[in-house]
Every structure is written in structure tokens, then in C-alpha cells.
Amino acid sequence: MSDAEPTAEPYTYAKAGVSIAAGNALVKAIGPLARSTARPGADASLGGFGGFFDLKAAGYRDPLLVAANDGVGTKLKLAIDHDRHDGVGIDLVAMCVNDLIVQGAEPLFFLDYFATGRLETGVAERVIAGIARGCIEAGCALIGGETAEMPGMYSGGDYDLAGFCVGAVERGEALTGGKVAAGDLILGLASSGVHSNGFSLVRRLAADKGWKLDRPALFDQERILVQTLLEPTRIYVKPLLPVVRGGRINALAHITGGGLLENIPRVLPDGLHALIDADAWPQPRLMAFLQAQGNIEPEEMARTFNCGIGMAVVVSEAAADEVTAALTEAGETVFRIGRIEAGDKGCTVSGSAGTWSGRSGWSATHHG
């Protein structure tokens, strides 16, 4: 009779909380989603160790590559808590591709990173289906990604997303802001909602004020409040690309974290200042709701939320009407929101009495 201890049960990756089978099933399920994003230069097939892109097949002669990466921020937590995963993939793509178009670059291919504690293929597939829809809307191919199952790193059904996008622009055609001049006008393209910035404040307000997120919004009885808050970020690539390539735009600014105040100066040369007139467009009801709920000062609004403007377009006065008409025809809502003048590099947003709930005339300035 042996005195040896009974043989211990063998360890496996699955017992440690990682399912290789679930990962394989997800890759199989999302294959058609990726293939639906194919475009000249990429067949958007998955499964290799890397994705290829043929710049010549995409029509480029002497391109510069432009890269961007981003996430969705704490908007994800709101989506997870309310089982609304279908739009956050669009947000992920939008935050990257909108950053490429402002440099004059066409988004070409996209890769995603999905990390979670336990892979729920149904949730992951819904998220990646949104990524594919965003890629189609932006005209870029989903050529790869990574799904990481990491028990102990994320709790419950939590997950995180990151996106990586590469675009191209012909040498000499990049938007650098160098063409911006005093006297230029600033056009604003309407946002679709909060987009993907400011959600830590949104979630704090929801908790402190006891919002009924699954009920109709007070400002829009046709929509559930959480649905309004989670409206995906608008993708501006296809309407802007032909106007950019036509040489009619001097600069673009994607209005993300930092709002109008801090993003517009990023594309201005030294010696130029942007003046934004908050009276030039109607404050969206969602923004008015957020401001009233938090008793938020206009200056704080202008540096936290997009305030209804998702993209700022700087054009010469002579080109303003033509660009406005082209973007309107492409489906954008366009406002003439300001102008460029000589002065310290920066941006001033101001409004008259009552604009954005200002009790009197107000002005906020950021120096870039």
C-alpha cells in the first residue's frame, strides 16, 4: 500500500477563469462583421497575427500615415449597468476617426481591444457589431483586434475598450492649422448628444439626483433617459472628407474633453484667437437638462461638454457659404458659431443674458 498523497486534481486555464473555447467562438461569430467592413486596400479578414493594408490599392501615391487611439471612458459603465452594449462600439470608432479627419486624413483601418473579467460572447459580439457599424460609417476596415479575458482584473460584467485607427493623407495636404488667418469664420457641426466625454459628471449627477434612467426623459418624452445619454458619438468623416480634399477647409477641431474652450486652440497658430458666440445655436435640451440638474456655470459647460457642437470647422469667409451648403447636403446641421481674430492664442466663448442659463452676459477664455 502506497503512502503517497492522492493525485491532485489537475489545474486548467478554464478553472482559472479563462475560456479558450469562448474566445474561439467569439472570433468565429465576429468574422462576418469584420468582412462587412472590407474596403479597397483591406479584405478585413481575421485570424492572423496581424492585419495587412495595401496603400496603393487604396489609391494613395505619396501618403503620410496618421494614427490615433482612444477609448469610450466611463460611458461604458452606464452601458454595462443598463445592458445597452450596442452603441459603444460606434463611440469607440468615432473617437478615433474624428481625430484623424481633423488632420485631413482618411481613416483606413481599425483595430480594437476588448478586455473583461469573464468573456460573455453575447455581450462581446454586440459591442463588436457596433464597432463594425462604426467602421462602415467611417469607411475604414476592421482588420484585427484583441479580446483579453482577465479574471480578477475586472469585476462582474465589467469590460473596457480601446480602439486604434490608422489613416492616410497625401503629402502636403494635411490640415495643420497653418492656413488659418484672422477674419476666418468658424462653423459648428451639431453633435448627437454628450458623445463620449463628461460621463463621470453625468454619472455623478444621476446618482446624486436619483434620476430614473429607465423612464422617459423629462426633456423628451419620446425617449428613455439612458437611451438619450448613450446616443452614439456622431462620425463626421464622410461628410467632411470631400470638402477637406477640395482644399476649402483651413482647420478642424474635434470637440472632445475640454469642450469648445480647450479644443479649438489646439488647431490655431500663435497670434490668433477664436471667438465663439454661444447665442449662435440653440442649446440642446439634453445639455440644458444637465446644466440645470448640476447648477453648472456656463464656463464649466464650455470646458466639460460639447454643448451641441461636435466639430468646429474653420474656413475663409469667401468659402463659408459653399462649405455650409456642401455639409448641409451631406446631412450635417451647420451653424456659423464664431470667427478668428488676431490676439493671444486661445478661445473665448461668450453669451448674452440667459444664454446657457447665464443670469447676465458671460464670457469664458482659455489660452492655448
Side-chain angles (χ1 to χ4, degrees), residues 33-368:
L33 297 173
R35 286 192 293 274
S36 72
T37 71
R39 52 149 295 153
D43 62 10
S45 61
L46 302 180
F49 286 94
F52 287 92
F53 193 92
D54 185 342
L55 283 166
K56 188 174 181 180
Y60 285 90
R61 302 180 307 278
D62 185 20
L64 299 175
L65 294 181
V66 187
N69 72 300
D70 213 330
V72 183
T74 59
K75 186 175 188 176
L76 281 180
K77 187 60 177 170
L78 201 59
I80 291 165
D81 290 346
H82 294 270
D83 191 30
R84 290 178 176 264
H85 310 282
D86 303 278
V88 292
I90 299 174
D91 284 301
L92 184 68
V93 175
M95 295 302 287
C96 294
V97 299
N98 286 341
D99 278 355
L100 292 183
I101 190 62
V102 301
Q103 295 168 99
E106 176 192 12
L108 298 177
F109 58 88
F110 190 89
L111 300 97
D112 68 276
Y113 176 77
F114 179 101
T116 186
R118 184 174 68 85
L119 184 59
E120 298 179 29
T121 54
V123 170
E125 189 174 348
R126 289 165 65 187
V127 171
I128 295 169
I131 293 172
R133 287 198 302 274
C135 285
I136 292 169
E137 191 174 334
C140 64
L142 177 60
I143 66 169
E146 173 70 8
T147 302
E149 193 172 19
M150 298 187 287
M153 287 287 289
Y154 299 90
S155 61
D158 285 349
Y159 59 85
D160 200 6
L161 288 175
F164 309 85
C165 195
V166 173
V169 59
E170 293 288 2
R171 191 178 303 275
E173 296 180 8
L175 291 179
T176 64
K179 295 197 301 181
V180 178
D184 282 356
L185 299 181
I186 305 171
L187 309 177
L189 306 188
S191 66
S192 56
V194 184
H195 284 186
S196 296
N197 297 101
F199 271 90
S200 293
L201 178 53
V202 170
R203 290 174 52 246
R204 177 67 179 270
L205 283 172
D208 289 354
K209 302 297 181 180
W211 292 352
K212 305 296 183 184
L213 290 164
D214 57 350
R215 305 273 182 85
L218 293 175
F219 53 88
D220 186 352
Q221 291 292 302
E222 300 298 316
R223 303 189 74 195
I224 301 301
L225 178 54
V226 72
Q227 177 187 4
T228 304
L229 294 171
L230 290 175
E231 182 70 26
T233 305
R234 188 164 182 83
I235 293 175
Y236 298 99
V237 172
K238 287 185 177 178
L240 282 170
L241 194 57
V243 190
V244 169
R245 286 177 167 169
R248 290 171 287 175
I249 289 178
N250 291 343
L252 294 168
H254 184 199
I255 309 305
T256 54
L260 292 158
L261 270 179
E262 297 187 8
N263 282 290
I264 295 176
R266 295 169 66 182
V267 300
L268 299 181
D270 290 338
L272 293 179
H273 194 90
L275 295 176
I276 302 296
D277 178 11
D279 293 291
W281 73 96
Q283 185 186 38
R285 290 177 293 175
L286 170 56
M287 295 295 166
F289 170 76
L290 293 173
Q291 184 173 19
Q293 288 284 298
N295 192 29
I296 303 171
E297 294 293 335
E299 180 174 357
E300 184 69 12
M301 290 293 295
R303 72 169 68 253
T304 301
F305 297 112
N306 63 56
C307 298
I309 301 297
M311 184 73 72
V313 184
V314 182
V315 296
S316 68
E317 187 171 6
D321 288 343
E322 182 184 3
V323 170
T324 298
L327 292 173
T328 300
E329 186 176 352
E332 297 302 320
T333 301
V334 187
F335 304 100
R336 190 168 293 192
I337 64 171
R339 67 185 188 277
I340 303 295
E341 67 173 24
D344 293 338
K345 180 179 177 180
C347 178
T348 297
V349 181
S350 58
S352 60
T355 306
W356 295 6
S357 301
R359 287 174 288 280
S360 59
W362 58 273
S363 179
T365 298
H366 172 80
H367 292 290

